Amino acid sequence: IRSISDDGEAWHYLGMCLQKLEHVSALQLSTSALIHATSLIPNDARLWCNLGLILDRQQKKDDKLLLEGDRERIEMCYKESIQLHQKCMRLGCDVLSDFETA
């Protein structure tokens, strides 16, 4: 982990790999990795969408894992993803397939 400490894309992929383990503690680690990734690459719409998905999965697995206000946090992640995708589309980037998943 020290070797990827400032690589947001690596943290994003680490978080996505951890979530596949289907264990509550793995979901918590996945969330931590994705949150760290957002601090390194805050303009990655896919990352915000994935963070929203993981937070939502955590809630469905165990309501006790989510803190007060996390429902709003999940919605904020999705909104951030959509806004970033829309900005990219206005700039002429081909993000249609990414945008449809948000």
Side-chain angles (χ1 to χ4, degrees), residues 31-81:
T31 301
S32 295
L34 293 175
I35 289 170
H36 183 64
T38 63
S39 71
L40 298 169
I41 49 173
N43 294 319
D44 187 328
R46 298 169 306 122
L47 172 57
W48 285 105
C49 184
N50 287 333
L51 178 56
L53 290 169
I54 297 304
L55 288 170
D56 197 41
R57 269 185 62 202
Q58 271 188 339
Q59 182 194 26
K60 288 175 182 161
K61 275 211 176 282
D62 186 354
D63 283 333
K64 296 175 205 143
L65 285 177
L66 289 185
L67 302 173
E68 188 175 320
D70 275 352
R71 174 57 41 205
E72 291 81 18
R73 188 177 184 192
I74 293 167
E75 290 175 16
M76 186 275 307
C77 289
Y78 290 133
K79 286 178 184 176
E80 185 69 22
S81 177

Side-chain angles (χ1 to χ4, degrees), residues 3-35:
S3 65
I4 66 165
S5 63
D6 63 347
D7 186 342
E9 199 66 24
W11 282 101
H12 185 181
Y13 289 129
L14 175 63
M16 294 312 294
C17 288
L18 287 167
Q19 61 91 23
K20 292 182 184 215
L21 296 176
E22 294 289 333
H23 190 273
V24 171
S25 62
L27 281 177
Q28 291 169 323
L29 289 171
S30 172
T31 301
S32 295
L34 293 175
I35 289 170

